[in-house]
Amino acid sequence: MSITDTQNLLARIREAALEAGTIMRSAHQGQNEISPDKIKAGHANFVTIYDKKVQEFLIERLSEILPESHFVGEENGRDVFDDRFQRGYTFVVDPIDGTSNFMNNYGPSVTSIGLFKEGKPFLGVVYNPWQDVMFSAAEGVGAFENGKKIHSSEEPLAMSLVSFGTAPYYPELREQVWKIGGFYLDRCVDLRRSGSAAWDLCMVASGRTGLFVEPLLQLWDFAAGAVILTEAGGRITDLEGKDLDFRGPSSIAAASAGVCREAYLPSGSAE
Ligand code: IPD
Ligand code: CA
Ligand code: CA
């Protein structure tokens, strides 16, 4: 795909994300709270009718944009390790990332659209309809916030905010969560908890935070944000500092250009 074709594709996917945002905003017209439609496995893991609505819309629209693509979305239960996933193009989508924020009309909830090419992240779009903020990036094209090129921060960890995900659905990780939180609270300006991992990755990409860590995330949580961060000069690994294989769930450490230069991981291993 030429750079121009990639830019055109990115523009069409951004339009789809804008429309997804309109569906999300329609949920809060006249009501402050959205009730869960279903409860998934794990602690307080809710799904609303809007998660499903946005996903159905995206399957339809993204298949029109790239008819030869496959589709992996949080709410359709398809196996991310499917063999087809390693060939051609695959959309990896979280229709609403930050569902608990969305349900309670609190803080960021976003639509996150990643596009993989031969099993590797190629393009990403993250849209926050509440602030009308669109992040997008594609391999070799750069990363953008509302059309303006972005670069991650050059500050060291000690001068940075760190966003910290609590892996809420996995009670077995609680101890690890608090240990990691304590580790960074001693080494950075302060911790932040947004409630949306896709948004957290964009906050590192755009220079607002220096690092984002979470002990366990699913592929659709970080597929789009990984491209946005990497194109913005940051680095995404697991919490041991290993490169991600993008085949399924992983712990995440997403660092800015500045933080990358230090030994920033709890294990001390950052190449
Ligand atoms: C969740 C959010 C949250 C993170 C969880 C994710 P969901 O996604 O990204 O910030 O802490 O680990 O599962 O369920 O709102 O799409
Ligand atoms: Ca998610
Ligand atoms: Ca979700």
Side-chain angles (χ1 to χ4, degrees):
M1 202 178 280
S2 69
I3 293 281
T4 314
D5 288 344
T6 306
Q7 280 165 334
N8 290 338
L9 180 62
L10 203 49
R12 294 191 68 193
I13 296 172
R14 279 194 300 254
E15 273 168 33
L18 277 178
E19 284 188 63
T22 306
I23 302 174
M24 283 168 73
R25 274 196 304 263
S26 73
H28 284 291
Q29 276 154 14
Q31 56 185 316
N32 284 328
E33 227 179 75
I34 309 291
S35 350
D37 183 49
K38 206 176 104 191
I39 302 176
K40 292 197 276 194
H43 170 82
N45 191 358
F46 305 119
V47 187
T48 71
I49 55 162
Y50 292 94
D51 296 81
K52 294 184 199 159
K53 264 194 192 170
V54 173
Q55 174 145 318
E56 275 159 27
F57 161 76
L58 287 173
I59 293 183
E60 198 184 312
R61 182 53 49 83
L62 297 173
S63 320
E64 281 163 19
I65 295 175
L66 209 55
E68 70 272 31
S69 58
H70 305 298
F71 195 95
V72 174
E74 175 168 15
E75 311 306 342
N76 70 348
R78 281 205 206 156
D79 184 359
V80 293
F81 300 104
D82 191 314
D83 263 2
R84 291 171 305 168
F85 188 64
Q86 300 301 322
R87 298 190 296 272
Y89 290 102
T90 305
F91 283 105
V92 183
V93 169
D94 193 341
I96 301 182
D97 184 56
T99 294
S100 56
N101 283 349
F102 174 75
M103 287 172 59
N104 294 292
N105 204 4
Y106 176 90
S109 54
V110 304
T111 288
S112 173
I113 306 172
L115 179 65
F116 282 33
K117 189 177 166 187
E118 267 117 47
K120 294 278 167 256
F122 169 64
L123 177 158
V125 169
V126 171
Y127 180 55
N128 175 341
W130 316 106
Q131 290 173 254
D132 193 22
V133 176
M134 176 82 73
F135 288 99
S136 62
E139 201 181 77
V141 169
F144 302 86
E145 175 180 347
N146 287 351
K148 214 172 129 222
K149 203 155 190 160
I150 52 171
H151 199 276
S152 66
S153 162
E154 297 292 337
E155 294 288 345
L157 186 59
M159 295 303 290
S160 303
L161 291 172
V162 170
S163 59
F164 161 63
T166 54
Y169 309 139
Y170 313 101
E172 67 278 14
L173 296 178
R174 294 292 184 262
E175 209 177 306
Q176 193 192 352
V177 164
W178 299 126
K179 250 192 209 155
I180 293 171
F183 176 86
Y184 286 112
L185 187 52
D186 285 339
R187 290 165 175 78
C188 71
V189 172
D190 198 358
L191 297 178
R192 295 290 180 269
R193 165 62 173 150
S194 82
S196 161
W199 184 251
D200 287 324
L201 289 163
C202 294
M203 293 301 94
V204 185
S206 59
R208 290 164 171 104
T209 57
L211 181 68
F212 163 57
V213 286
E214 183 149 0
L216 187 59
L217 285 170
Q218 301 295 326
L219 191 55
W220 44 77
D221 296 318
F222 58 83
V227 188
I228 296 168
L229 176 66
T230 309
E231 285 294 313
R235 179 164 186 228
I236 187 164
T237 64
D238 68 13
L239 272 165
E240 263 83 55
K242 285 197 234 79
D243 286 332
L244 305 179
D245 65 5
F246 293 101
R247 288 181 66 86
S250 178
S251 65
I252 292 293
S256 65
V259 170
C260 271
R261 295 193 193 101
E262 308 167 51
Y264 60 93
L265 296 168
S267 59
S269 58
E271 301 117 55

